[in-house]
Amino acid sequence: VLGLKWRRARLGGANRALPRRRGANAPLAGVRLPGRLVPRVSGLVVRVGPMSDASIFRYDTGRGSLLTALTVTKTVVPNVLSVPEFWIFLLFHLAVFASYRSGAVSDQAVEKTEDWGLDWEDIRVVTAITTLFEVFYTNTCYARYNTLYKNTRSMLADAANYSYMLRVFVSENAPRHARLASRYLMGGVLLHFFDLKNMHTRADLQELTKLGLVTEAELSTLLGNRKSERPAVMLQWALMVSRHAAVAVDDKGAALTMTNLMVKIRTQQQEAVDVLALPVPFQYFHLLSSMIIINLALWAYAMALTQSWFAPVVYVFCSGTFIGMLNLASQLSDPFGDDAVDFDTQGWVSDAFALIVELTEAQYPGGPGGLEMSLHNEQPLPRTFSVGLIPGAGSTPEPPRAPGRGRSSPFRAMASPQAPRADDEAVRSALLANCARDCAGTRYCPRSCA
């Protein structure tokens, strides 16, 4: 899912390559990141290929049960139809069904007291036990799925929080330290996903060099470590750089906060590895698979001993449900792949890295003097807000109320010593607009808002 072949796409007529990183402390805007979008450089949008179809499918619960049931894409139907045992037992069912309808198998031969008879009470017992086993297995896999989702998203969010700390406490006085630490941070996160995907060869790690996240010397050092140690090593490098910068600017509090945050990131990575390393025991899965096969065989035989043409239809739905549930649960147990239910790690890593680069390189609006200018021009906050949160509905005005009932009057705000001067035309226009809106449609209205 983290394929790393680069493609370039033209945007706005620009067709220039991204600038190469010329050193460990070069601006991160030139780092080529894995994903769909990275910060705009020279008008280009860099894409990675081949892209994976894995993503959390957004569906509409308001479509209705019928349209939802008729959906085939992003469902378990294609997977069920690709399972050999589904077709094997379906052919067996059709063969028995055709033999019974043609008279090759007599009614007396299949009576439950005869040699070829089968009692449905016995089948119900086996089906009930199998259902219990399969529900427990599905619930366990879905719990793992939720745990891995929360863990992965929290880890990426904390990586962005770490870049916040770098930008606020380190970047102003030591911008090169912040960039180097951010580069190591992104490398540690990417190596974590490489570890989850079992991508440990030199060719896989060489992609980090192509992305500009590690140098050749750093790559050689990583190759000397064990596979499971590589993400932690790069995170340690980032922490060492951050601490060096924090100590240099005499900010031990920031160093301690960043240390705790990095330890949290590393803990989340280890938790994800541990969850994947502890699947449902094979003995349980083997027992469940055997019980499903027994159920399919019993259903295929017992449901065929009827003259009704609906018997094959009922069998297809019953067998498809059991096989589909088992297949879906198996996909949920390891969501770092390319199945329909797997995580969109390609997009997640892309968005997280783009945010880290933006936070590391972003400047306050207006440049170095922008903060002082904003403070000088700041005005008192409005007394009321009318915010529209419904798409397409716009803002809904607040019902007007008489001054003194529940909120301050705009005239009190105008008379207040904290209010802006009346000769400021922009502020004066805003106050007049608020006054007219508050007084509209009410019996109480001053003679003149002015």
Side-chain angles (χ1 to χ4, degrees):
V1 73
L2 291 175
L4 300 171
K5 279 189 177 179
W6 286 106
R7 297 175 182 173
R8 295 190 304 170
R10 296 187 62 182
L11 181 64
N15 192 22
R16 291 176 291 173
L18 287 175
R20 281 192 165 291
R21 183 177 56 80
R22 295 183 178 179
N25 300 321
L28 289 178
V31 175
R32 299 181 290 182
L33 304 179
R36 298 165 183 162
L37 292 175
V38 296
R40 294 179 292 274
V41 181
S42 303
L44 287 179
V45 177
V46 180
R47 296 180 180 271
V48 118
M51 296 296 294
S52 171
D53 294 332
S55 63
I56 298 178
F57 182 62
R58 307 292 181 182
Y59 56 91
D60 183 12
T61 57
R63 292 183 61 195
S65 300
L66 179 60
L67 293 178
T68 303
L70 295 177
T71 304
V72 176
T73 58
K74 298 291 183 178
T75 66
V76 298
V77 175
N79 296 327
V80 171
L81 297 179
S82 63
V83 175
E85 51 264 29
F86 173 79
W87 297 104
I88 293 175
F89 288 107
L90 178 58
L91 293 177
F92 172 67
H93 169 77
L94 294 177
V96 176
F97 180 72
S99 301
Y100 185 77
R101 285 189 58 88
S102 63
V105 178
S106 62
D107 292 337
Q108 293 78 11
V110 294
E111 289 290 338
K112 61 181 181 180
T113 58
E114 300 296 332
D115 293 340
W116 296 100
L118 187 61
D119 192 351
W120 267 103
E121 293 298 329
D122 300 334
I123 300 178
R124 290 192 183 97
V125 174
V126 178
T127 302
I129 297 176
T130 306
T131 303
L132 179 63
F133 269 63
E134 188 161 18
V135 168
F136 177 81
Y137 177 73
T138 304
N139 183 63
T140 302
C141 293
Y142 188 68
R144 284 165 50 91
Y145 186 82
N146 282 331
T147 300
L148 290 171
Y149 176 84
K150 295 177 183 179
N151 182 278
T152 304
R153 295 298 297 170
S154 297
M155 187 266 294
L156 293 176
D158 287 336
N161 294 337
Y162 192 86
S163 64
Y164 272 121
M165 301 291 295
L166 289 173
R167 182 65 183 86
V168 174
F169 296 103
V170 176
S171 184
E172 291 294 333
N173 299 311
R176 295 186 176 183
H177 286 74
R179 288 164 178 163
L180 182 59
S182 296
R183 182 165 65 84
Y184 288 154
L185 174 64
M186 291 186 289
V189 171
L190 190 57
L191 280 177
H192 169 63
F193 287 101
F194 278 13
D195 189 26
L196 297 179
K197 294 291 297 177
N198 197 26
M199 300 168 60
H200 300 297
T201 64
R202 184 181 182 88
D204 295 330
L205 299 184
Q206 193 71 35
E207 298 295 341
L208 274 74
T209 304
K210 297 178 182 178
L211 297 174
L213 297 179
V214 298
T215 62
E216 290 293 342
E218 294 164 349
L219 178 61
S220 300
T221 303
L222 289 174
L223 290 173
N225 297 108
R226 292 187 297 179
K227 301 174 183 178
S228 59
E229 297 174 348
R230 293 166 184 169
V233 168
M234 287 211 71
L235 294 181
Q236 184 188 35
W237 293 350
L239 186 59
M240 293 170 63
V241 175
S242 303
R243 182 184 178 280
H244 184 273
V247 171
V249 298
D250 195 19
D251 194 343
K252 297 181 180 179
L256 179 61
T257 303
M258 287 188 289
T259 300
N260 294 334
L261 191 57
M262 185 63 77
V263 171
K264 184 179 178 182
I265 294 173
R266 172 57 194 154
T267 302
Q268 291 166 343
Q269 290 185 350
Q270 187 60 47
E271 288 177 355
V273 173
D274 293 341
V275 170
L276 286 178
L278 184 63
V280 175
F282 174 73
Q283 291 79 1
Y284 187 96
F285 184 75
H286 175 266
L287 182 60
L288 175 60
S289 301
S290 302
M291 296 177 68
I292 289 179
I293 294 298
I294 294 173
N295 265 273
L296 294 179
L298 294 177
W299 287 349
Y301 181 77
M303 290 184 182
L305 302 179
T306 178
Q307 295 292 338
S308 175
W309 289 103
F310 288 102
V313 178
V314 174
Y315 171 76
V316 167
F317 282 114
C318 291
S319 61
T321 301
F322 262 44
I323 296 175
M325 286 289 291
L326 181 63
N327 185 273
L328 176 60
S330 300
Q331 294 180 10
L332 293 175
S333 63
D334 186 3
F336 296 101
D338 54 1
D339 297 318
V341 299
D342 288 340
F343 299 153
D344 184 18
T345 50
Q346 181 87 17
W348 292 357
V349 173
S350 170
D351 295 340
F353 283 12
L355 179 59
I356 291 173
V357 172
E358 183 64 27
L359 294 176
T360 304
E361 298 295 336
Q363 300 293 329
Y364 191 86
L371 179 59
E372 288 74 11
M373 183 66 66
S374 298
L375 293 173
H376 178 74
N377 297 330
E378 186 64 19
Q379 301 293 340
L381 297 176
R383 296 285 180 164
T384 60
F385 292 92
S386 180
V387 181
L389 298 179
I390 301 177
S395 299
T396 303
E398 180 182 344
R401 291 177 290 181
R405 297 183 179 180
R407 59 185 172 90
S408 301
S409 168
F411 303 102
R412 295 180 183 176
M414 294 175 65
S416 173
Q418 297 180 356
R421 296 178 55 187
D423 56 354
D424 189 334
E425 291 299 325
V427 177
R428 180 181 177 85
S429 299
L431 291 174
L432 290 175
N434 290 337
C435 173
R437 182 187 62 188
D438 291 341
C439 295
T442 63
R443 294 182 179 180
Y444 175 85
C445 188
R447 296 179 181 179
S448 173
C449 287

